[in-house]
Amino acid sequence: MLLIDCPCCGLRPETEFRCGGQAHVARPEKPVDVGDQDWSEYLFVRANPRGVHAERWIHQHGCGRWFNALRDTVSDRFVETYPMGGKPKSTTTEARA
Amino acid sequence: MLDDSLYARRVSPLDGAAKPASLPGGVTVRQLKPEARFSLRVKAGAPADAAGFALDQKINSIVVRGGRWSARLGPDEWLIGGPEADAQLIAEEVEATLRDRPHSLVSVSHRNVSLEISGANAAIALNAGCPLDLSDAAFPAGSATRTLLGKCEIVLIRAGAEPSYRVEVWRSFSTYAHGFLVEAAFGLQNAA
Amino acid sequence: MRRFSYRSLISEALNAHQGWQRQWRAPDPKPSYDVVIVGGGGHGLATAYYLASQHGITNVAVIEKGWIGGGNTGRNTTIIRSNYLYDESAGIYEHALKLWEGLSQELNYNVMFSQRGVLMLAHNVHDVQSFKRHVYANRLNGIDNEWLSTEECKAFCPPINISQDIRYPVMGGALQRRAGTARHDAVAWGYARGADSRGVDIIQNCEVKGIRRDASGAAVGVETTRGYIGAKRIGVVAAGNTSVVMQMAGVRMPLESYPLQALVSEPVKPCFPCVVMSNAVHAYLSQSDKGELVIGAGTDQYVSYSQQGGLHITNHTLDAICEMFPQFTRMKMLRSWGGVVDVTPDRSPIIGRTPVQNLFVNCGWGTGGFKATPGSGHVFAHTLATGEPHKINAPFTLDRFRTGRLIDEAAAAAVAH
Amino acid sequence: MAQHFRLPSGGRIDRSKPVSFTFNGSKIEGYQGDTLASALLANGVHFVGRSFKYHRPRGIMSHGSDEPSALLSVSRGPGRTDPNNRASVVELREGLVTKSQNHWPSLNFDVGAVNDLFSPVFVAGFYYKTFMWPRSFWDKVYEPFIRAAAGLGVAPDVPDADRYANRHAHCDVLVVGMGPTGLAAALAASETGKRVIVADEQAEPGGSLLHASEETIDGKPAAEWVKETLAVLDARENVILLPRTTVFGYYNHNHVAMTERVTDHVVDPKGAPRERLWQVRAGHVVIAAGSLERPLVFADNDRPGVLLAESVRVFVNRYGVLPGRKIVFATSGASAYQAAVDAKRAGAHVTISDLRLEADCGPELAKARAAGVEVLTAHTVIGTVGAKRVKGLIVAPVTGAGAIGPRRTLDCDCVGISGGWTPTVHLFSQSRGKLAYDEALDAFLPGTSAQAETTVGASHGDYDLARCLTAGYAAGAKAAGSAATARFEATPTLKGFQPVRVMPTDANPAKVRAFIDFQNDVTAKDIKLAVREGFQSIEHVKRYTTTGMATDQGKMSNMNALGIVAGQLDRPLPSVGTTTFRPPYTPTTFGALVGPARDALFDPIRTTPIHDWAVEHGAKFEPVSLWRRAWYFPKAGEDMHAAVARECKAVRDGVGVFDASTLGKIEVVGPDAAEFMNRMYVNPWLKLEPGKCRYGLMLKEDGYIMDDGVVARVAQDRFHVTTTTGGAARVLNHMEDYLQTEWPDLNVFLTSITEEWAVIAVQGPKARETIAPLVSDIDLSPEAFPHMAMREGRICGAPTRLFRVSFTGELGFEINVPADYGRAVWEAIYESGRKFGITPYGTETMHVLRAEKGYIIVGQETDGTVTPDDVGLAGMIAKAKADFVGKRSLARQDLVASGRKQLVGLFADDPSLVLEEGAQVVADPNQPIPMKMLGHVTSSYDSPNVGRSIALAVVADGRALMGTSLFVTTPGGFTRVSVVDPVFFDAKGERINA
């Protein structure tokens, strides 16, 4: 069970959280103007890196807030967590992706 | 005018099931009396106070003022409570205070059932299903947070320094939560 | 290849087994091959085997970063069945099941395919509707699958508790009698031995670090920890790691890789006659030839390559097992382990061409790839040999995520109302 | 048998408390403080089981959790029997019933032992090479035979009489092990006041100090030091001491799992749990788990009476048991000498056979000889004599060049073997730390830590007592953030060994069976065969030979197996690979992992405020997600069909009442509420007036239907949204996700009110008259309160949100009242409706009534691949909206293609035939298999109001097939149906507006 640093609540056990997959996949402003290929990428294609991954979590059974996290998918160690709409402090390439 | 005999009476889901009982480990589990409770949401920039309910406390803490209490569960979320008879009054007062800013006040008086577990080993019993650190240092008097008890979500409140915890649970989970706490007390036992 | 037979076994017994040879060679990689297969799991080795045996293409290398069969092939709960709902899925899994039925003889290697039956339990009205939909669809596709009443479930698998007073009472079940289990390691070894004897090079401890492309963008070979290896065609069959390998060719995949855990109990005398699965309670259980209860469950919730998951997943899995079979609470967990499964948005595989010429992919089997091993290898070999998909894998394109022609078995079992 | 092998004094057992138990039916006595193993040995019982594959006689080999052979079935009473207990870890208690396993008909005479004769055939991997001919024999002959022969004990087949507990705990420092290192670490860590948990798998803390003979610490006998140290720790409030607690799993982020055996050692648990799972989140973990002794590998090294040398010492010193009168210690290292000296002192005739040259031995040699022990240095072991008990050890001198001299048989009844030591690195490895091979110690040692962890003492290859204490103390202090150190004086430890893989022999190594993995019957030659066949990674070797895969998980065998593979390949040992250890360290009871989550606490059963009324009125219930819902209300003598038919008629003819409380409900509040609804649902919301309702249809972003429900606009900035029962949480999460991550600028708040309101649906022509006497503050007249309106007022004095809506096609109301009032209001309605024959109905009738009207149920007509148009709901989509969730996807190629499945009604030719839900639809039942399937039946009922069976189905291009005939599968074949409009009753929809 991971220990996750919720930006609102501090370190809390994983079972209180739900993972929402890759972070920073913004919904297009005007979806109707998006072509089929780009739309399918928005819907389905995800970074799936071996290494640092930017992902979304919600503290479902806590403060109920979504936030972002950088986590190494090989060690499962968190690099950092940061609020929705925020940017990570770390500057790995994956973090900016 | 409605005939008196038709007036509905309240029935709690645990009526009959949750008699206060002294359990192993010196733990007591009981259901608390009904109270007025609301989920209050106010976006960033909430006032320090609304109708006597503190709003400026740290996240995951509770402030009790007279008969009214407010537990801040998130940056823009409070669970507030007061005497059952004041339900209407609380709603009106809070609405009046917050009229000019985006907010939401929704009654959850019937959604939630309140259990209390107390006794020197209450925190250990809770830890049968609650994964949080409930030590005095990590979860002192004045703490309140949403968390888990086994397979159901609860709001766990420790208002005072004594080993007494309030467990707010959705009503259809209350039988489970009550049963879980009782079983947890039995789980405290060791070989004689 | 020296054939296994009673005769060879007895003569070796008399010779203190000194005469057995390597089951596959350990060659150095050649500068180039007609086909390079990236990934030495069951699917990759089967692909190589069928390339050699069905298409006569023997100038083939299987490149494995660790030891063959060390990924999901050796980490799954070995359930084999073909009672899928949609024609496309039924097609490929039934193709595989038919190959399973003759696989030990075909490979001259006992993969211990055991048609013990897979019984999927229904615990609510929705399950009943959904399973009957499967039963009927399977019948029209020529796949055995039958509906059992609650009592018939008990008769087929006596350990099942059919009391209607339990949390998730059994309301019947769907039974595929031809389904069952196999010895996972033997599948990898058997295909490896068969492929090797036909000239395929199996190169272990060799990690692919890059995919080389020419000026036109076509793939022409792989950079590995043992040097560059040229290839006319490359097939990526690297379950769990597909995104990473495909990224080397600049192809982004609709995949996410999750930890999947499984565990076994201590071995006990035969006490469980078949495979039982339950979607509602969320667990599956069988007993291995060795006597261990083999237990699997769902994935952890986050992407990870660590081959390790959380204890709470194990706990929930065993909650479910002991709910269905309360007599097992005194059994003991002997081993637990994790694999990495790559999962597509519709949880069906992708088998076929990619946007890069000469680069082909076979991935996205999620939690259910083992059962497909022979079928997957067979059609992927066809695809690599001809450059075109076999009709069975034609629907499993990468392009379906653009058109919306998804093959979503899980959605078909959706629960709401 | 009366404990003839019990020493007259000594040991930590309580001789004042005799304990009796049975073994294979014979009554035996031991003492309080014994393990099953020590009690059996005290009575001269070594032979306690048969091996997995060859069914060879096996005895007790060890005193700890590494025991591979002595596995017994243990019964503590009804519902308390379980297999595969290691005799060495079962604490003796009065009345234990124990039995040996894996034999038939008896331990002494076992038919399965015939396998041993076939052992030349049954080598590693033999089954991959055989049992293939003829093909049909596998399922019917070979596999049943293999299965019957395999397995060890018998699984329990009755429910467990014990309870299990769970506890989440937090500490600053978790110390694993209460041997000298762990106790020193705990002392230091707890000095700081930090929270410390100390766990040890044994019943008594102290580890190796419990069987110390001459050892002293700071001038005190070791046992005394243990006692004093424990007293100090016990007095500290910040310390939790947990004996009988096995740390079995080291997970991510210092989440450590341990099982505490709470009551197995007492006769009556008195309701206390059998085991307790501790899930500890530790700031720092100090692993002081000690080390494990390696056996020596030589022919027939598996005879009962062959024990690890240190275990002999433990049985002598700790339990006061002499495992044999004539004991030979075979060793390649120093530690066995101390065991020999102690055994000699206890009265045994003792000989040592040491592989090492005289010159390579240390001070232990002189010490043993001074104690009167005969020592043969530079001697190898060729094999053993005996079958069900070792009778002699065959040894031979070996020269430095490897030449083997003449054999000599040393008569004995017990052999203590020692091939050196292996640090216990399992937990370190589980924590994903990297192991590093240390050639001098011939062992893998913890290298770089991956988590906040320190491994110290013998687990780190340090075998000297004083150094273990000093290092343990420093590690404990550091883990607690202190730099404190302490010096300990202790007796020097006899240590050092010469690694040996297989003892040199003059026999043909290809013919002898020298066991590596005792339980799985894997021999040195099996491992060599695997390597010859190309299995060269240790993982391949393990899987091919099954070495290390038994219930002891290779604790004894791993290093020997690795060494033999490396030797065979002539490669350095680390290049063969190391085993990655996974949880659990020792086999862990399912029950402990399940904890309280059994029976009623497995999953919550959610019930509504009206549930008890339904129970009292005889309802049958169906499980729907976590809920139990009233399914139908049979009267005496009615079956489901009759009850549902009656309920269906009653609603359309008079009035029915239905508990709809499980429907999900969300209050959407805020100035941007309507805009938010506009984005989340396909329908238009901006212009919906307060007091009005609308049916809302929600899509996932992929364009498929996700959920539906009636939505009321309570006020300009407030919506009361309903969802399906199963979709409640999913819809709220979906909304919250978009709100927080895509549109944080919207001022909207979501609150789940599913459980705030009980919902009572009153449906039928008499619905208004039924509720009218109870309602105040609301004008119920059709003009004032039309269909799809919502009013706030009071019912029975309780506040209500009263919806005039219908899922039956009848005049209907859905009455929301605060949940605690639900039952009373329901009862009042029931009373009020009596004069109209009010009928409570369940979900089945609800399903039939809505199907008569062609209303879909999400999850039944839809399955996650269905668009609004597929089910005839395209009209719900607000055409003018530029965007809503799912809109873009509806334009994808396959979602607008022809041939999609569309909702239709079906009439079977036979009006009494109710089609099966899930049945498939085809055009031609005579086509060859595989058939082209056009769709399937989604709902099917006998409809008393329509007067025949009806069905809904999704069929490819179904709307174009109206009036045509198709065929539907039945259990026996096919039946003909005609395609009809999916609205079967009151097609004009007049009744709803009554």
Side-chain angles (χ1 to χ4, degrees), chain C residues 121-379:
Chain C
L121 296 178
H123 298 281
N124 53 50
V125 173
H126 182 271
D127 279 352
V128 174
Q129 292 162 352
S130 172
F131 288 3
K132 286 194 174 171
R133 186 178 168 196
H134 281 70
V135 166
Y136 281 120
N138 291 156
R139 195 175 92 195
L140 301 191
N141 269 325
I143 294 168
D144 77 302
N145 193 9
E146 62 196 277
W147 175 255
L148 299 191
S149 68
T150 304
E151 292 70 27
E152 288 167 334
C153 289
K154 175 81 179 171
F156 187 74
C157 182
I160 292 175
N161 179 4
I162 58 165
S163 160
Q164 293 299 295
D165 296 330
I166 57 177
R167 180 66 189 79
Y168 291 102
V170 174
M171 296 178 74
L175 170 66
Q176 186 176 26
R177 292 183 193 270
R178 288 163 62 233
T181 57
R183 171 88 182 111
H184 50 19
D185 293 323
V187 177
W189 301 337
Y191 274 122
R193 175 167 165 267
D196 175 88
S197 72
R198 287 166 174 80
V200 172
D201 284 355
I202 294 164
I203 302 163
Q204 301 185 86
N205 298 306
C206 177
E207 186 175 353
V208 170
K209 306 297 273 186
I211 294 175
R212 195 182 284 183
R213 297 167 66 178
D214 67 12
S216 74
V220 295
V222 291
E223 315 281 354
T224 78
T225 48
R226 295 178 69 177
Y228 174 74
I229 303 171
K232 291 187 182 135
R233 281 185 178 144
I234 300 168
V236 175
V237 202
N241 286 296
T242 310
S243 294
V244 176
V245 176
M246 294 302 287
Q247 192 69 47
M248 295 172 188
V251 180
R252 297 179 70 221
M253 298 293 291
L255 289 172
E256 291 184 298
S257 298
Y258 296 100
L260 177 66
Q261 299 184 63
L263 62 96
V264 296
S265 74
E266 292 186 339
V268 285
K269 291 291 175 194
C271 67
F272 205 82
C274 61
V275 181
V276 165
M277 309 178 70
S278 164
N279 291 334
V281 181
H282 212 98
Y284 40 101
L285 174 67
S286 64
Q287 189 175 19
S288 72
D289 282 343
K290 207 181 160 197
E292 300 160 335
L293 297 179
V294 182
I295 293 167
T299 59
D300 279 80
Q301 57 173 332
Y302 48 82
V303 165
S304 177
Y305 293 86
S306 65
Q307 296 190 331
Q308 183 180 44
L311 174 64
H312 58 290
I313 303 288
T314 308
N315 291 350
H316 285 193
T317 302
L318 288 173
D319 292 358
I321 291 294
C322 294
E323 161 68 12
M324 288 194 287
F325 307 104
Q327 64 271 37
F328 289 152
T329 45
R330 295 182 88 90
M331 294 287 290
K332 299 188 203 84
M333 171 168 84
L334 173 60
R335 279 193 305 278
S336 69
W337 64 91
V340 184
V341 297
D342 50 18
V343 179
T344 63
D346 64 1
R347 284 143 289 197
S348 286
I350 299 166
I351 318 163
R353 283 194 289 258
T354 72
V356 175
Q357 205 188 336
N358 301 334
L359 180 65
F360 298 79
V361 72
N362 181 348
C363 68
W365 291 93
T367 61
F370 177 73
K371 67 175 78 70
T373 304
S376 160
H378 190 263
V379 299

Side-chain angles (χ1 to χ4, degrees), chain D residues 380-405:
Chain D
T380 187
V381 182
I382 304 291
T384 59
V385 180
K388 291 175 184 167
R389 178 74 184 266
V390 67
K391 290 181 179 153
L393 191 70
I394 308 163
V395 301
V398 55
T399 67
I404 291 171

Side-chain angles (χ1 to χ4, degrees), chain D residues 343-474:
Chain D
K344 172 79 182 169
R345 191 183 297 128
H349 179 277
V350 176
T351 312
I352 295 175
S353 169
D354 191 338
L355 183 65
R356 297 176 301 171
L357 301 177
E358 186 110 4
D360 293 338
C361 297
E364 63 274 10
L365 191 56
K367 181 174 177 174
R369 285 182 173 150
V373 174
E374 183 191 359
V375 183
L376 307 172
T377 54
H379 269 65
T380 187
V381 182
I382 304 291
T384 59
V385 180
K388 291 175 184 167
R389 178 74 184 266
V390 67
K391 290 181 179 153
L393 191 70
I394 308 163
V395 301
V398 55
T399 67
I404 291 171
R407 296 180 176 199
R408 167 182 165 194
T409 300
L410 304 172
D411 287 344
C412 60
D413 58 359
C414 176
V415 176
I417 54 178
S418 178
W421 293 85
T422 307
T424 307
V425 295
H426 299 69
L427 290 173
F428 174 82
S429 174
Q430 285 184 26
S431 80
R432 293 198 244 172
K434 283 265 178 300
L435 294 168
Y437 183 66
D438 183 307
E439 191 147 8
L441 290 171
D442 187 47
F444 287 95
L445 298 185
T448 318
S449 290
Q451 303 199 42
E453 163 278 337
T454 309
T455 302
V456 67
S459 313
H460 204 281
D462 210 338
Y463 301 126
D464 181 72
L465 179 56
R467 290 182 41 155
C468 283
L469 291 160
T470 309
Y473 193 92

Side-chain angles (χ1 to χ4, degrees), chain D residues 815-833:
Chain D
I815 301 159
N816 288 259
V817 290
D820 278 357
Y821 295 118
R823 171 149 187 181
V825 171
W826 172 281
E827 286 177 343
I829 290 168
Y830 190 63
E831 280 307 312
S832 171

Side-chain angles (χ1 to χ4, degrees), chain A residues 1-2 14-15 17-19 21-22 36-37 40-41 44-50 57 71 73-74 76, chain C residues 65 241 243-244 252-257 300-306 308 310-312 345 401-402 406:
Chain A
M1 205 199 298
L2 307 179
E14 180 197 337
T15 44
F17 296 81
R18 192 157 52 82
C19 186
Q22 187 185 347
D36 276 355
Q37 188 60 40
S40 83
E41 295 207 0
F44 299 126
V45 175
R46 295 292 177 265
N48 189 23
R50 235 185 129 85
W57 290 83
R71 185 178 52 86
T73 61
V74 178
D76 290 330
Chain C
K65 72 173 174 177
N241 286 296
S243 294
V244 176
R252 297 179 70 221
M253 298 293 291
L255 289 172
E256 291 184 298
S257 298
D300 279 80
Q301 57 173 332
Y302 48 82
V303 165
S304 177
Y305 293 86
S306 65
Q308 183 180 44
L311 174 64
H312 58 290
F401 298 100
R402 183 182 59 81
L406 305 187

